[in-house]
Amino acid sequence: MEKKHEATANQRVVHRARNSWSGFLFGVGLVAFIDEAVFHQLLHWHHFYDKSTTAAGLVSDGLFHAFSWFATIASLFMVADLRRRHGWWVKRWIGGVLLGAGAFQLYDGTVQHKLMGLHQIRYGVKIAPYDITWNVLACLMLLIGIMLTWFTRKQGAHHD
């Protein structure tokens, strides 16, 4: 029993980077999906690309949704492979999820919303509270993801 646990711990350490990347992809896909489903489709606050017609906005939403789906599926294939190799490390993976989610949301809130002006969170309201909330949540996810990744960098899998 001890040898099996040790072998699993070694596999987790060997596949440390793959756990992080799989989680990162899942985080990107998850936050993109939530953004698309909640803000684009349910609330109708914006489309991915608002600088053209509504039809162009809907097509851009479809492409954005496909992107989130591909990122999520690719991540889950990586998780299946990690599990097959006895190398899936949940704590490290969750750190990657939070890094991916936070990085995507911060990129969306700064580059796509402000620098490129592709869309805003809402229109016809004071946007500052929405922008601050969006980016603060992104930074919190990044911070927690960095902490989880940092704490798992040397400890191996012995503390899971």
Side-chain angles (χ1 to χ4, degrees), residues 31-156:
V31 166
F33 170 78
I34 291 170
D35 182 18
E36 170 66 26
V38 175
F39 299 107
H40 297 219
Q41 295 174 346
L42 295 175
L43 297 175
H44 297 207
W45 282 2
H46 62 264
H47 297 292
F48 181 76
Y49 186 72
D50 279 335
K51 290 185 161 186
S52 184
T53 63
T54 301
L58 289 172
V59 169
S60 70
D61 284 348
L63 294 172
F64 181 55
H65 198 65
F67 163 77
S68 74
W69 183 245
F70 286 128
T72 304
I73 295 300
S75 166
L76 293 177
F77 271 107
M78 291 173 75
V79 167
D81 184 56
L82 287 166
R83 289 183 57 89
R84 184 181 60 80
R85 298 171 188 251
H86 304 284
W88 192 41
W89 189 356
V90 175
K91 188 185 288 184
R92 182 94 177 172
W93 189 79
I94 289 172
V97 169
L98 291 168
L99 284 173
F104 176 82
Q105 190 161 323
L106 190 60
Y107 167 78
D108 186 42
T110 54
V111 175
Q112 292 181 340
H113 291 182
K114 299 304 170 195
L115 296 176
M116 298 172 71
L118 295 179
H119 61 264
Q120 297 298 321
I121 297 173
R122 288 192 77 176
Y123 296 96
V125 297
K126 286 188 173 190
I127 195 68
Y130 292 94
D131 286 339
I132 291 169
T133 302
W134 191 261
N135 291 324
V136 165
L137 286 174
C139 290
L140 284 174
M141 287 189 286
L142 277 171
L143 182 64
I144 296 169
I146 288 168
M147 289 171 49
L148 284 175
T149 301
W150 178 264
F151 289 132
T152 57
R153 82 184 197 298
K154 284 189 176 177
Q155 75 180 163

